[in-house]
Amino acid sequence: MTDADDTPMTPPTEEAPSSDVARGSGVALWKQIAERIEADIAEGRLKPGARLPTEAELAERFGVNRHTLRRALATLTDQGFIEATPGRGTFVKEPPLRYPITPRTRFSEIVSGEGRAPGGRVIGSRIEAADADIAAALKVPPGTEVLRLDMLREADSVPLTIGTHWYIADRCRDLDFIAAATGSVTRALEALGLGDYRRLETRITARLADEEERELLALPPGRAVMVVESINGDPKRQPIQFTRARFSADRVQLVVKN
Amino acid sequence: MTDADDTPMTPPTEEAPSSDVARGSGVALWKQIAERIEADIAEGRLKPGARLPTEAELAERFGVNRHTLRRALATLTDQGFIEATPGRGTFVKEPPLRYPITPRTRFSEIVSGEGRAPGGRVIGSRIEAADADIAAALKVPPGTEVLRLDMLREADSVPLTIGTHWYIADRCRDLDFIAAATGSVTRALEALGLGDYRRLETRITARLADEEERELLALPPGRAVMVVESINGDPKRQPIQFTRARFSADRVQLVVKN
DNA sequence: AGTTATTTGTTCGTATGTATC
DNA sequence: AGATACATACGAACAAATAAC
């Protein structure tokens, strides 16, 4: 049961170099260590991507057994602050990019807005027949010709998402060509007079990344991708585009503002 | 080019009832088979949860090699229509429950709205000190006492999500008790006069389910959970609750309407 | 608890038609 | 025409997970 506990708040004995965990203070040593390291990260003394000292070294520095130290690192790991790879070391994780889902969502604007450099390349494009899903989203009969465009998008040269876009083919001939030339779907659509699209509905699910996705997104095995399907329409809410994007769940956090 | 060729259409010596894939028709056998099975699912002849005949049997029924049949099943698998488990068989997937993310999102209302029976139980509750994340979300100083409530929620007795809710402790004494009694956080909050909360911001990410999550959600290894963090506030947009819910990505699709 | 049968998953090998250079 | 690459289709055998007894 939950008791409103009476443990005294541990005074911040900060003037010490960096060690000194308070033994017998009622707060578990591993918890004190975890909080210290978390504070180091939160306050920028440990920057994203930085490598932590080895477990042995940290254990010595805090004056605890390596097991105790590992208990602290374990909680930090599943809180998402750090990540350890056997043989390499333990690293401070990059904070995920906040990716807002709003009626007007543009990849490059979002990435620039977060102070990072958007990039990407067209993986491929072709005309295909709409299957049931695509047809329903675009409100056309199944089998209608659609232009499919596959893109890889990145921020600061780190791949974030693989996006597959479907457009009703006869509304946007040559879109793939223009997009490849300008490197921007948005600009290509503008060139065709279809620039002002807005998000009508977004569906989100997730699963394990498959091999192709791991390759393109540079992910180790066992990572998840978020599959974000969105129907985009013109100002009159007429669907003009259907997108299925697969985001690296490690590197992106979707944000819905209400 | 697929010419209207002069190869004699192989006579359907198949007098079998439902088979007959058209050989030499220009359409790959596996594709025809996949489309047939997809239609069977779409038109309800194969219901969600139903088990398909074994690969050997299907191959024989369609008059093709098992490889060819497997090629068809493979596309259906990654289109999300079916799912196979070695030793058990191949099953038609249940469609994921559509879970809207709106300012006013209530689990039980959503599940009932989809025609399924909401359920759940309290896993545990305790008073704890707010860590940096929780404190920031609730706009209180770190270390403030918060009531933590862990719940498992299900639809038709199938677990969908593990929700951890944090409330500012002194605003809702006895909430855990009332919630355990009534079985509904919403009702318990109403009893405390905090019923009319609304979602202020929602953050979504995903990762592999860990062992505890697999246990509670009855998931096999290698499945993903969506981690949905939401800040909920009163009508004056004052935060009163922070929730971190982990949804089975297999069984739920989050929907954002714009 | 252990054995067996069932069923999916994987890996060889072979042959054939089709599109491309 | 020839060479090459690629997708399609078939055959056989074995591995691995599961269910039933």
Side-chain angles (χ1 to χ4, degrees):
Chain A
M1 277 302 145
T2 49
D3 53 337
D5 66 0
D6 50 353
T7 44
M9 201 62 87
T10 38
T13 49
E14 279 307 309
E15 36 70 53
S18 72
S19 359
D20 309 69
V21 279
R23 280 173 194 277
S25 68
V27 182
L29 293 180
W30 64 264
K31 212 164 190 176
Q32 298 179 49
I33 296 172
E35 274 163 16
R36 274 266 271 284
I37 298 178
E38 189 181 330
D40 283 345
I41 295 170
E43 285 146 40
R45 288 185 294 277
L46 276 170
K47 294 209 181 354
R51 193 188 143 179
L52 272 68
T54 66
E55 292 179 356
E57 197 178 327
L58 280 173
E60 201 198 342
R61 195 178 298 185
F62 283 110
V64 298
N65 188 280
R66 189 165 153 241
H67 286 306
T68 313
L69 189 273
R70 280 181 61 79
R71 178 79 169 86
L73 296 189
T75 72
L76 291 171
T77 301
D78 62 45
Q79 288 180 277
F81 291 113
I82 62 173
E83 184 166 24
T85 346
R88 290 203 332 122
T90 307
F91 298 85
V92 179
K93 278 228 276 192
E94 307 279 347
L97 184 134
R98 286 172 59 95
Y99 194 93
I101 303 288
T102 64
R104 224 190 97 78
T105 289
R106 297 292 182 279
F107 181 85
S108 45
E109 290 174 13
I110 291 168
V111 171
S112 321
E114 296 280 316
R116 300 172 67 177
R121 62 186 171 86
V122 174
I123 300 170
S125 70
R126 62 167 176 278
I127 300 278
E128 61 183 27
D131 68 18
D133 269 12
I134 316 289
L138 293 174
K139 292 191 184 159
V140 296
T144 305
E145 271 197 351
V146 286
L147 169 65
R148 171 187 168 146
L149 185 63
D150 288 289
M151 298 200 65
L152 180 68
R153 314 257 217 169
E154 41 198 36
D156 290 342
S157 302
V158 178
L160 293 188
T161 178
I162 307 164
T164 305
H165 311 268
W166 285 271
Y167 301 86
I168 301 170
D170 61 5
R171 288 188 70 177
C172 47
R173 294 266 166 220
D174 300 322
L175 179 89
D176 54 344
F177 182 79
I178 303 172
T182 65
S184 157
V185 186
T186 312
R187 249 173 292 157
L189 273 166
E190 277 160 6
L192 286 162
L194 291 170
D196 197 17
Y197 65 89
R198 45 175 281 148
R199 211 173 261 259
L200 303 178
E201 181 180 301
T202 304
R203 300 187 288 253
I204 304 164
T205 180
R207 57 174 167 73
L208 215 59
D210 66 28
E211 205 181 311
E212 187 203 356
E213 289 156 354
R214 291 206 311 266
E215 166 107 13
L216 288 166
L217 295 172
L219 289 174
R223 297 314 165 92
V225 288
M226 292 185 282
V227 181
V228 179
E229 293 181 342
S230 52
I231 303 174
N232 297 296
D234 61 23
K236 292 191 280 291
R237 300 186 74 86
Q238 202 61 31
I240 55 174
Q241 182 206 84
F242 177 69
T243 298
R244 180 179 293 137
R246 289 153 292 171
F247 286 84
S248 160
D250 281 355
R251 307 206 258 261
V252 176
Q253 179 175 62
L254 306 174
V255 178
V256 181
K257 288 265 187 193
N258 292 119
Chain B
M1 304 292 145
T2 42
D3 53 340
D5 63 2
D6 50 352
T7 43
M9 203 59 90
T10 36
T13 47
E14 282 302 318
E15 41 74 54
S18 71
S19 354
D20 311 68
V21 277
R23 289 183 117 86
S25 68
V27 183
L29 294 181
W30 64 263
K31 213 163 190 176
Q32 297 180 49
I33 295 171
E35 274 162 16
R36 274 267 269 284
I37 298 177
E38 189 181 330
D40 282 347
I41 295 170
E43 284 147 40
R45 287 184 295 275
L46 277 171
K47 294 205 184 352
R51 198 192 138 173
L52 271 69
T54 66
E55 294 179 350
E57 195 179 329
L58 280 173
E60 200 200 342
R61 195 179 297 186
F62 283 111
V64 298
N65 187 276
R66 194 170 147 232
H67 280 306
T68 312
L69 189 272
R70 278 179 62 77
R71 179 80 168 84
L73 296 188
T75 72
L76 292 171
T77 300
D78 63 42
Q79 286 181 275
F81 291 113
I82 61 174
E83 184 166 25
T85 350
R88 293 203 336 121
T90 308
F91 300 84
V92 180
K93 277 230 271 191
E94 307 277 349
L97 185 133
R98 284 172 62 94
Y99 194 94
I101 303 288
T102 63
R104 223 190 98 75
T105 289
R106 296 293 183 279
F107 181 85
S108 46
E109 289 173 15
I110 290 167
V111 172
S112 322
E114 295 280 316
R116 300 172 67 178
R121 63 187 171 86
V122 175
I123 299 169
S125 70
R126 64 169 175 276
I127 300 281
E128 60 183 28
D131 69 18
D133 270 10
I134 316 289
L138 293 174
K139 292 190 185 161
V140 295
T144 304
E145 274 197 350
V146 287
L147 168 65
R148 171 187 167 146
L149 185 62
D150 287 289
M151 299 201 64
L152 180 68
R153 312 259 216 170
E154 40 198 37
D156 291 342
S157 302
V158 178
L160 293 189
T161 177
I162 306 165
T164 306
H165 312 268
W166 285 272
Y167 302 85
I168 302 170
D170 61 6
R171 287 187 71 176
C172 47
R173 294 269 166 217
D174 301 322
L175 179 90
D176 55 343
F177 182 79
I178 303 173
T182 65
S184 158
V185 187
T186 311
R187 248 173 294 158
L189 274 166
E190 277 162 6
L192 286 162
L194 292 170
D196 197 18
Y197 65 88
R198 45 175 281 147
R199 211 173 262 261
L200 303 178
E201 181 180 300
T202 305
R203 300 189 287 253
I204 304 164
T205 179
R207 57 174 167 72
L208 215 58
D210 67 27
E211 206 183 309
E212 186 204 358
E213 288 156 355
R214 290 205 312 265
E215 166 107 15
L216 287 166
L217 295 172
L219 290 173
R223 297 313 166 92
V225 288
M226 294 184 281
V227 181
V228 179
E229 293 181 344
S230 52
I231 304 174
N232 297 296
D234 62 22
K236 291 191 281 290
R237 299 185 75 86
Q238 202 60 31
I240 55 175
Q241 181 207 82
F242 177 69
T243 298
R244 180 179 293 138
R246 289 153 291 171
F247 286 85
S248 160
D250 280 355
R251 307 205 259 262
V252 176
Q253 180 175 60
L254 305 174
V255 178
V256 182
K257 289 265 186 193
N258 291 119

